[in-house]
Every structure is written in structure tokens, then in C-alpha cells.
Amino acid sequence: MNRPALALLLVPLLWACGTATGPAPSAPLLSAGELLAAPTKLTIGGVKLSAEAAPVLSAGLPCSGKSCAVNFVVPVKLRASSDPKGLTLPSLKVTGVYVITEGGVWRSGVAAQDSRRCAAGPEGAGCLQAVGRGSADLSPRDAVQVVLTFRDAAGKSYKLRDNKAVVNTGP
């Protein structure tokens, strides 16, 4: 197998297992009721925000090391609606990712290296992406609700819920 092909196969596995710095920080316990009460749209400083999630379940990841039990990765995007005034996403930091399932609430903190603008330049000004990761006992095609928690520059916390997400399968 040539090197570029091998690299393409290994990238999703490394992304799912996280970095060598250890697991993501944990998120505070919140009840399903608190999370389901989160809005699907929110306005902060005149900027309308929405959330998008794409949970991925990876069956049987071949991980080595002390505790690489990561089989669930939840990329989320916090998006500002397009505005004719050209408003950009305020200074926000995603702090937690929660997934509400029939079996309960799955949660993950967000490591610093897992939170960034969606793209460099002006097109990334209205979008922030983050990743929650851990292990979960879910099935592909499960319908779930994803809620992300985030903080503004003043330290005020917010919750925002995706409309609906479905668990996909990864490599």
C-alpha cells in the first residue's frame, strides 16, 4: 500500500482516538429535561445562532494504549445566520457536547485543540466548530438530540440544541 493511501486510512482513526494529550475534559452533569429545554435558535448581541451536529459511531476501532475506548465522535458547528450588516460570530467557546438518546444523556467536554473557526478568513467568521468524543452504546441510524454548551467572553453560559441528528457510522 502506498503512503498517501495509508495516511488517508489512518487520519479518521487518529481523529476518533483523540490526541496524545489525553481525553477531553468532562462536561457537567445536566438532566435530559434541562437539555431538551435548550432553544434551537438563539440571539446574542444581535447575532442569530444555530447548531448543527453530525454524530459518528465507529464500531471496533483498533486502538492501542491505556484507554482508547473512543467509539463515538460528535462534531458540532455553531453558526451565525448570514446578516446583511456582515456581523461575525461573537467571541464564544464551546464547552460541552451532550447527546440525548432513549437510554439517557451522553456528555463530553471539549478540549482546546478540538475547538476552532470553521474556515480561515472571512468565511469562517460566522462559524465555530468543536468535537466531543468518548464511548457510547448506540446503534447506527439512532435519532438523537444534540445540545452544545458554550460561553461568551464575559463568562456567561448558554445552551443550544440542534434540530435533529442521526447517528452515522464511520470507518
Side-chain angles (χ1 to χ4, degrees), residues 17 61-68:
C17 284
L61 279 179
C63 295
S64 61
K66 35 186 172 171
S67 65
C68 192

Short mmCIF file of all heavy atoms in Angstrom, two decimals, residues 17 61-68:
data_model
loop_
_atom_site.label_atom_id
_atom_site.label_comp_id
_atom_site.label_asym_id
_atom_site.label_seq_id
_atom_site.Cartn_x
_atom_site.Cartn_y
_atom_site.Cartn_z
N CYS A 17 -9.66 8.73 17.91
CA CYS A 17 -8.99 8.39 19.17
C CYS A 17 -8.50 9.61 19.92
O CYS A 17 -8.09 9.50 21.07
CB CYS A 17 -7.82 7.44 18.92
SG CYS A 17 -8.38 5.77 18.58
N LEU A 61 -12.97 0.21 16.79
CA LEU A 61 -11.74 0.92 16.45
C LEU A 61 -10.53 0.18 17.01
O LEU A 61 -10.50 -0.15 18.19
CB LEU A 61 -11.75 2.33 17.04
CG LEU A 61 -12.51 3.38 16.27
CD1 LEU A 61 -12.44 4.71 17.00
CD2 LEU A 61 -12.00 3.53 14.88
N PRO A 62 -9.52 -0.08 16.20
CA PRO A 62 -8.33 -0.75 16.70
C PRO A 62 -7.40 0.24 17.38
O PRO A 62 -6.53 0.81 16.75
CB PRO A 62 -7.70 -1.33 15.42
CG PRO A 62 -8.14 -0.40 14.34
CD PRO A 62 -9.49 0.13 14.77
N CYS A 63 -7.61 0.49 18.65
CA CYS A 63 -6.79 1.43 19.39
C CYS A 63 -5.86 0.69 20.34
O CYS A 63 -6.23 -0.33 20.90
CB CYS A 63 -7.67 2.39 20.20
SG CYS A 63 -8.67 3.46 19.16
N SER A 64 -4.67 1.22 20.50
CA SER A 64 -3.76 0.64 21.48
C SER A 64 -3.46 1.72 22.51
O SER A 64 -3.67 2.89 22.28
CB SER A 64 -2.47 0.18 20.79
OG SER A 64 -1.84 1.28 20.18
N GLY A 65 -2.98 1.32 23.65
CA GLY A 65 -2.71 2.28 24.71
C GLY A 65 -3.56 1.98 25.91
O GLY A 65 -4.31 1.01 25.94
N LYS A 66 -3.44 2.85 26.93
CA LYS A 66 -4.12 2.54 28.18
C LYS A 66 -5.63 2.62 28.10
O LYS A 66 -6.32 1.75 28.57
CB LYS A 66 -3.59 3.38 29.33
CG LYS A 66 -3.17 4.78 28.98
CD LYS A 66 -2.54 5.45 30.17
CE LYS A 66 -1.95 6.77 29.72
NZ LYS A 66 -1.50 7.58 30.75
N SER A 67 -6.20 3.66 27.52
CA SER A 67 -7.66 3.74 27.49
C SER A 67 -8.15 4.47 26.25
O SER A 67 -8.60 5.59 26.32
CB SER A 67 -8.19 4.43 28.75
OG SER A 67 -7.75 5.77 28.77
N CYS A 68 -8.09 3.82 25.14
CA CYS A 68 -8.61 4.42 23.91
C CYS A 68 -9.94 3.77 23.59
O CYS A 68 -10.09 3.04 22.64
CB CYS A 68 -7.62 4.26 22.77
SG CYS A 68 -8.04 5.26 21.35
#
